[in-house]
Every structure is written in structure tokens, then in C-alpha cells.
Amino acid sequence: FVVRKDQDIYIQTLRKLFNESHGIFIGLQRSEEELAGKSRRAQLVQVSKNYRSVIRACMEDMHQAAISARDPALQSQYSTQVSILSAMELIWNLCEILFVEAAAAGPLLLRLLDWVRLHVCDVDNMVREVLSSENPSKHELFWNVVDVFVLQGRMDEARHLLSKEASTNPTSVNMYKILDDLMKKMPMPSLGNTQTLTEMELKWQHWHEECQRYLQDGTFASNSHMESICKILLGDEDAILEKKELMTTWYHFLVTRLLYSHPTVKPMELRFYAQSSMDLFLGGESSPEPLDTILMAAFEFEMHQVIKECSIALSNWWFVAHLTDLLDHCKLLQSHNLYFGSNMREFLLLEYASGLFSHHSLWQLGVDYFDHCPEYGRVYLELHIERIPLNTEQKALKVLRICEQRQMHEQVRSICKIMAMKALRNNRLGSALSWSIRAKDAAFATLISDRFLKDYCERGCFSDLDLIDNLGPSMLLSDRLTFLGKYREFHRLYGEKRFSEAARLLLMLMTAHIAPCSFWMTLLTDALPLLEQKEVVFSAEQTYELMRCLEDLTAAQKSDKQKFQDEDVETVKVEMLRLALARNLARVIVKEGTLEGS
Amino acid sequence: AMEEVCAKFVSQKISKTRWRPLPAAALHPPDVFATGSWDNEDNRISVWSVGDLGNAGINGEYQGEPQLLCDIRHNGDVMDMQFLDQERIVVASSTGTVTVFRHHQNNQTLSANHRWERAHYHVDQDTSCGGAACTGIICNNPEIVTVGEDGRINLFRADQKDAVRTIDNADSSTLHAVTFLRTTEILTVNSIGQLKIWDLRQQRNEPSQIFSLTGDRVPLHCVDRHPNQQHIVATGGQDGMLSIWDIRQGTIPVSLLNAHEAEMWEVHFHPSNPDHLFTCSEDGSLWHWDTSTDVSEKPSFLHQGGRSTAYFSHNTINHSVVSAWLSNDPTKDRMEITNLIPNQTLSVNSLDILGSCLVYGTDAEAIYVNRQLFA
């Protein structure tokens, strides 16, 4: 019975994040650069949305883990992670609106409203509670929920709730009708091209004045809740600020302010409103947190600042690496300080990918990231890939393939050599040969052949015939290997009693210098049984050749005075050979002389 | 149809995926599969269920998304995996151990039922034994044949402690895969491009036949035999080449088909529809090879290096006619080849096909299921 550690869930969730985002990253690098203008932008926005949905999926997993964790320490760790992921998504979403989509005045406000609605969730429980109660209008938090809807610009929902209150309170029917009407008529920027900004501004001005009139007439004087709502509709800062707890953050305050005082705000104007919103909201009581600083930098369109602050605040490179890469694809980083800009993306990707390589399994993802770092990617890859432990042949094959695809020849040779040595140590000569063929490593093939030949000399027979008999074209990889193959062929021919062919092959091995000098004695000794055959095998010319070889060999041995051992055996062998050769010569001269006559 | 693919990220690199076999009389499509992982400090065998199409999961997940039923720790990388029967799974480890796991369906747990430690091992020059990966497994209940990096072939019986038979040093290179040719004969492929037939009835430790690739001895990584026509064998190589062999004749492949750009890890004939073949590769692609075109098939014996005048309607093509796999010219609109993966990234290590259901796993730590492949 195996019980999984709770901590594993944390790592598991991160792995999903890394793997899924890797797919998106690759897709982005490969995407069509030729697409221009709107379609390219739409494509990039989709990529951004994909990244965010991956972050949200991880948040969900982590949230589930936090709920089901038994250990309270772990529970708090997971909850922290959820907050961090949530902050990441918040920041990314804002960057998507401001930088990737680069929403213009009009749609900008709508996007910001969506953003606030998605991310300020502290009030969701309260909303749910009121809506699901039997008599919402009697709930003590009823007006809070209405306020929330108004603050978030959710007019339809606010009106729906108000209508419930209206039905239970017939005396204020008139008031409700007017408020409802105002809310219904409130002009909102449109996403399509149905109206121009100027048109919208005009409409909005009229509507604003109408609200003003109703407020000043005292229409809502008898109901403080409704009066405050009317003030909010008019963009009264104090009235909005009163609802601080319902907004919970200064950026919610910012968006509400903009909604009710400046719905056609232009992107470049955001910075002013942002700064003042934060000041008003925090009111000198508390100082900005890192998240606030990052968001402020975004509103100020200081992309580099955003990235820098995120790098400091977040303990992982994942976020800044992917976000910066996306912004780079939007061609936003290039218009800034070039030195910093063009290298920042690469720097962050290199850091992130290097981190991946320190993981026993995620290194494979890192390869693709290095691939897309034009300056230093290759160097980093070369250094990191050498450090991957090659515990199995399968893993070595995968690493090899990565190196081969990138023409990293040195690494290919080095890996093959390591694997071939391992195979050799384990006496897997076929495997060792297979690795040297892959690396086209002639030197190693020679080494392996020498092993085979050594085995043969010691045991008198070949091991691994299935290999030697089936070398095929790989035989040509090294001379020694060729010799091995041909030598084995010689033995086969002899076994099949094809003596003249065997003889010819044997001679060729020596005269064509395919055989190493150290083996000549063995070859000549192999010739002995052929010389002793009843039928004459070697022709006169061949015999002369053999004699010459023998003389060459003994001459070489004489000059090599270091060979003390086995001198007697050697001398006997040589004598026997000389005798056999001479006898053969005699027989063959007679035979050839006789044939010539007929 | 490709839209029916369901992906799930599982936080482990998947080395093997296998459908649980269906009982003989089953009418429903396969709904349970097992996966094995690799390159983790903590590798796992996991059993998943793919619900009926049309049901939402408990938490409202995507209908059809695989749900984890149970899993268990596995020591070493999962190198190969086969269902022995409905409940038991045989797993090959990179440590050289072969384990039989039992899936208890009543309480959804997995347990190690039987283990052959050191089924595969090296003896190095210091005569100290190191583990050698077990690379391939094939089962024919109750027999289990395993092969490994040590060039060894083992024949086990499911409940017997010791191997029934072991052929030491059957091959001087790594054996990468094994499959049954007949009930008493097996096929192996190795890292010097050889396909070998072994007759297990014979006591000698030599293959009864050796086939080789022509040209370079590119390592072969996978092998599968045609389900009905037992002389047709497919192998996949390190260079991504698919080779079709007719083992009744010759010692070289009948056709060589260039497809993948990197190692072909698995090749599978469709078990009930063998005009279809599936291969997956390190290059991140999964190819569906379809020789069942409606274009009338010309039997190869009428093929005379040019045009054939005899046409047979598709219906009459049966086992009596030579299979399209052995035709001399596979490029003559006889074969349709489709890459089932639109945005390939990392290696597809394994696939399995049963009925209309395809499951495959990748190094991007994801499992993919398509239960409407032939829709």
C-alpha cells in the first residue's frame, strides 16, 4: 500500500504548468510572422489567453490540494501558492489588455471592467449568500450586494435585485423607477463600431446631467442607499470611497472611478488616474505592496519596470520568461532601450531553461527554450546536455537525437564513446559496435575488432558470430573491422571446403595489408592446413607470395629485438611453415609443369 | 476524427500506454488503459478509465477525460508493459526486473503480484553483476517472454518462480523488442538491424532464422506481426524507417517506407483491421498508415513492374489475395498516410489501438485518447 506524499501535489501542479506552457511557447515561436495587423494581434491575444488558462488550471489544482490537505502547514503552503498564481494571472491579464491587445479608448474600459470582475472575488461569497437566500431584499447585506454590482458596472444584475426590493416596497416605487431608468440608460462604450467615441461622450454627458438633476432635486433624499448609488453614478469620489471594503483594492477603485467619470479614458491617460486612485484609496494608512507596484508600472506603460519588479517579487523565472517572450513577439520591447530590450528576453529564457535542466525530468523542455535563444542558446545547451546522467540506453538515445538534430558532433561522439565503453565493459560487443557505427567512430570500431580478435586467439573460436557474419556495409567503418569480417569469411569458406577461394582470400588479406602485422603469424599458421591438403591449393605464384610474406615477417621480428618470449615456439613455427611452403612449391611446380603440356 | 482527441497533462513522462483487453463477448469500446512513466525518481504504473462519451465527470471535467483509478510505485523506468489478462499487467523495468501487477477492480488498487528480480543483468569484467534494462515483453497467458540489453531471452510462466527457459547471450547487441510469431516461435529485433526468429521448442540456443536490413545496420526498435497473415512483419528503425518483411521469402525487407525523422518507438497493426498500421516516433509524430483505400486493389502477383489490367472490387479482397502491405509500389495511391498530431513537440513514446480507440503518451507529460478514430 503506497501513500503518496502531499508535497508531491505541489510539484505535480508545477509540472503541468511547465509542460502546458511549453507547448504554447513552441506554438508561438512557430506561428506565422507574416500575418500583419489585426490578425497577428488576435493571434497573440489568443496565445496570451492560453497562457492564462493554464495558470488558472494550476490555480484550480492547487486550490483542490489546499482543501484536501490534511497537514495544516501544507494547507497554508498551498493556499499561498494559490495567491501567488492568482496574482500572476492578475498581472498577466492586465498586461494582455494594455500591451498585447493594446485596447484603445472605449474598449479599454470594458476590458478593465472584465478584469476587475474576474479578479476581485472577495465579495463573491457575500453575493452568493444574498442571492440564494429566500428573501434577498430582506437580507442585511442586500444593499451591499447592490452596491457591488453598481461598483463593477453590472447594471443588469443591480437592476434585477432592485426590482425585488421595489416589489416589496410600494411607497418608493417612483424612486425605483427613476433609478432603474437611469441605470438602464447609462451609455457604455461599445466593442464594435456602432458608435464613435465622440458620439458616446455626448450621450454620456447628457446622461450625466440628467443624473445630476435628479440628485439635486432630492428625488432620492428619503433613501440613503439609493442616494449614495446616484452619487456613485455621478462619479462622486467620496461616495465611491465610502464603499472601500466592497472594492477591496485600489485598482477596483480606479476602474470604478473611470467608469463613472471618464469612460472614454485613453490608455496613456491611465497613469494619472492610477496614481491618484492608489493614493486616495490607501490614504496614507498603508504603503504599496509589491503587487501594487507592479500594477502601477503596468498602468504607466513601463514594461521594463513591470518585468523587473516581477523578477524580484516572484521566486520563479517562469512568469517573466514567458511574458517577456510574448511581449517581444508583440514587438514591444524593441522600441525601448535596445541594449536592454533585445537581450532581456534571451536572458530570462536562458535562466528559466537552465532551471529546467536542473530537474531530473524537465530537462527535455529546456532544450526547446535554448533553441529559441539565438545568441547563447547553443552554448548553454552544449554545456547543459553534457551533464545529463545517461542511466539507460533509451535516455542516451534521446539525448543523442537532440545532439544530432543540432549538429552537435562533439557531444554525439562523446556520448557514443561513453555508451560504447559501458557496453564493452559489460561484454556486449554488438552493442558497442552499434554505438561506434552511430558515431562513425573508426577508432572505437578498431578497438572492438581487436577485442574480437583477441578473444579468437585465446579461445580458438569466434564469439558473437551473429554479429560478425552480418556486418554488412558497416564493415567498412574501420580497416580492422573489415579484416575481422573477411577473416571470419575465410573461416567460413574453409568450413565449407571451398579451399581455393579461402586461399585466395587469405593471401589477399596479407598482400592488401588489410591484416594487421601482429596477425600475420596467425594467418600464416592458418595457411598450414591448406598447404597440407591432398589437392594443391596454392598456385606457384601464390606460394611465392606466401614465402615473401613469411620472410618479411621474420625480418621484422629479427629487427624487433624485444621479443624474447616464445622464441622457441616461434622458431619452430617458422621452420614448419618454410617446410610446408617448400613442399607446396615443389608439388605445384610439378603440377603446373604437367598441365602445361596438355 | 481529430476533434475527438482528449488530452490530459499528468506530470510524468509517459513511456508506455496499453488498453486493457476486452473480454471476448464485450460490445462496448475499450474504456480502461494503463500507463507507465520514465525518468522520474518515483516512476508509476497508473490505471485510467475513460468514461462513456456524454457523461460529465464528478467535478464537471471534460467528458471523456481520463480519470485516474489507481497507481503504484515502480522501481526504475517502465521500459515495456503488456496486459497478461484482464487483471494482470506485466512490466519491464530499466533495472532488469520484470513485475506482474494485479489490478484489483473491487477496491481500485494495484499490487505487485509476482516479481522476477534480475531477469536481465550484465556480468562485467570484474564479475560483479549490474542490472541491465529489460527492454521488451510479450505475453501469451500464461507465458511471458522478455528480452533485454544483456542480449538475454527469458521465458517465464506467470506463477512460476524461476524462468522456464533462459537463452544467455542470445544476441551480442541489445534486444529492443520481442513479439510472438506463432505460439512457439518469437521474433526479436536488435541494435544492429537484425530480425531473428527463435523456435522455443528447440533446445539449441541459436535463432532459426536471421534477417537483416540491407545497407547500414540501423538499430531496430520495434516489431509487430500482421494479426491474420503471419508471414507479414513490420519493424521500425532508429532512422524512422518502417520496414515490411515477408518472412517466407528472402532475408531482407520487402519494402522500406520513409516516414519519421527520428527513432520509431512503436509499430502496431490494428488488431481487427490490419489494413491499418500505426507508428509513433521521437520526432513527435504519430502516423496512421491506411492501405484500405476503395481504389481497387491490384494483387501483387499481377504486378509486372508496370500496369496491371485486372481489377478486383474491394469486397472480394480477402485473405486469399496477397496483402497490400507486400505490394511492390506502395506509393501508387494505395496507401494513405496521416499524421494524427497537428502540433508536434516532444516524442510520442507509445501508442495502443483497439477498435476505434487510440491512446498515446508523450515526453511532454501528456496522455491523449481518441475514441472515435474511424468516425
Side-chain angles (χ1 to χ4, degrees), chain A residues 1-4 8 11-13 15-16 19-20 22-23 26 30 64 359-365 368 391-395 397-398 400-402 405 424-435 437-438 451-452 464 466-467 469-474, chain B residues 9-13 38-42 44 68 71-73 77 79 94 109 122-125 149-151 169-174 176 190-192 194 196 210 212 215-217 219 221 238-239 261-263 265 282 343-347 349 363-365:
Chain A
F1 229 95
V2 182
V3 175
R4 189 186 316 191
D8 292 346
I11 299 164
Q12 278 201 345
T13 311
R15 280 174 81 153
K16 280 194 212 178
N19 274 283
E20 284 205 69
H22 165 263
I26 298 292
R30 289 180 188 164
Q64 290 300 321
H359 189 270
H360 61 264
S361 191
L362 293 170
W363 56 271
Q364 269 183 285
L365 301 179
D368 286 315
N391 358 27
T392 63
E393 270 194 26
Q394 191 87 338
K395 191 158 172 183
L397 284 173
K398 285 181 184 263
L400 255 184
R401 181 58 63 186
I402 292 170
Q405 284 170 339
L424 213 54
R425 264 204 309 276
N426 289 322
N427 225 24
R428 313 294 315 143
L429 293 177
S431 296
L433 186 62
S434 169
W435 291 107
I437 292 173
R438 177 105 183 236
R451 260 290 276 277
F452 272 112
D464 307 312
D466 64 328
L467 170 64
D469 280 344
N470 291 291
L471 283 172
S474 57
Chain B
F9 282 85
V10 295
S11 309
Q12 46 182 322
K13 295 203 284 209
W38 78 284
D39 214 17
N40 261 351
E41 285 157 349
D42 179 19
R44 306 204 148 249
L68 179 68
D71 64 4
I72 191 169
R73 202 169 181 283
D77 292 343
M79 303 291 297
S94 59
T109 54
H122 284 308
V123 185
D124 72 17
Q125 286 171 346
E149 275 175 19
D150 54 356
N169 216 18
D171 200 304
S172 63
S173 66
T174 297
H176 278 134
N190 66 14
S191 59
I192 43 174
Q194 294 174 319
K196 296 182 182 175
I210 300 180
S212 302
D216 282 330
R217 298 293 194 256
H221 283 286
Q238 200 167 83
D239 53 0
E261 290 165 0
E263 286 82 351
W265 294 124
E282 179 71 19
N343 302 310
Q344 54 197 66
T345 53
L346 295 183
S347 170
N349 293 322
D363 271 344
E365 306 196 350

Side-chain angles (χ1 to χ4, degrees), chain A residues 101-301:
Chain A
E101 193 180 349
L108 176 60
L109 181 70
L110 295 175
R111 293 280 185 251
L112 287 175
L113 274 173
D114 283 336
W115 178 67
V116 162
R117 288 170 195 160
L118 194 57
H119 289 102
V120 180
C121 332
D122 294 4
V123 296
D124 283 357
N125 280 338
M126 181 177 69
V127 171
R128 244 193 310 268
E129 205 186 295
V130 170
L131 286 178
S132 54
S133 74
E134 256 194 48
N135 209 341
S137 47
K138 295 297 171 228
H139 200 293
E140 54 172 357
L141 298 173
F142 171 78
W143 283 107
N144 282 358
V145 176
V146 177
D147 285 338
V148 165
F149 288 150
V150 172
L151 290 166
Q152 291 187 7
R154 290 152 81 172
M155 290 313 184
D156 290 337
E157 288 165 85
R159 288 174 53 216
H160 182 75
L161 256 191
L162 274 177
S163 69
K164 288 204 205 299
E165 170 73 359
S167 56
T168 63
N169 210 339
T171 50
S172 359
V173 155
N174 218 21
M175 252 198 307
Y176 283 105
K177 268 180 81 177
I178 294 172
L179 188 58
D180 182 74
D181 193 53
L182 282 178
M183 287 165 76
K184 186 164 123 190
K185 285 197 303 199
M186 175 171 144
M188 289 283 257
S190 68
L191 276 174
N193 288 329
T194 49
Q195 57 176 9
T196 65
L197 269 183
T198 338
E199 276 174 13
M200 199 244 144
E201 268 169 15
L202 268 176
K203 279 196 213 159
W204 191 84
Q205 204 54 44
H206 281 301
W207 172 84
H208 189 94
E209 281 161 9
E210 195 181 336
C211 295
Q212 191 79 0
R213 274 199 302 276
Y214 279 116
L215 184 69
Q216 280 166 353
D217 283 349
T219 319
F220 304 108
S222 57
N223 188 322
S224 62
H225 292 295
M226 300 221 279
E227 191 173 58
S228 123
I229 289 176
C230 187
K231 285 190 185 164
I232 291 173
L233 291 181
L234 283 168
D236 183 324
E237 269 170 26
D238 295 322
I240 301 175
L241 264 178
E242 251 175 63
K243 311 291 177 185
K244 234 169 132 169
E245 271 101 52
L246 296 178
M247 292 187 291
T248 68
T249 63
W250 62 269
Y251 36 96
H252 186 328
F253 175 54
L254 163 67
V255 176
T256 307
R257 261 179 91 195
L258 291 171
L259 173 63
Y260 292 117
S261 60
H262 211 84
T264 56
V265 63
K266 297 195 188 53
M268 285 306 152
E269 295 169 342
L270 277 176
R271 62 183 65 218
F272 309 115
Y273 289 100
Q275 190 59 58
S276 60
S277 297
M278 182 155 85
D279 293 336
L280 281 170
F281 193 90
L282 296 179
E285 287 167 7
S286 43
S287 44
E289 308 228 319
L291 177 60
D292 299 323
T293 325
I294 294 168
L295 293 172
M296 183 60 69
F299 284 121
E300 291 171 351
F301 281 78

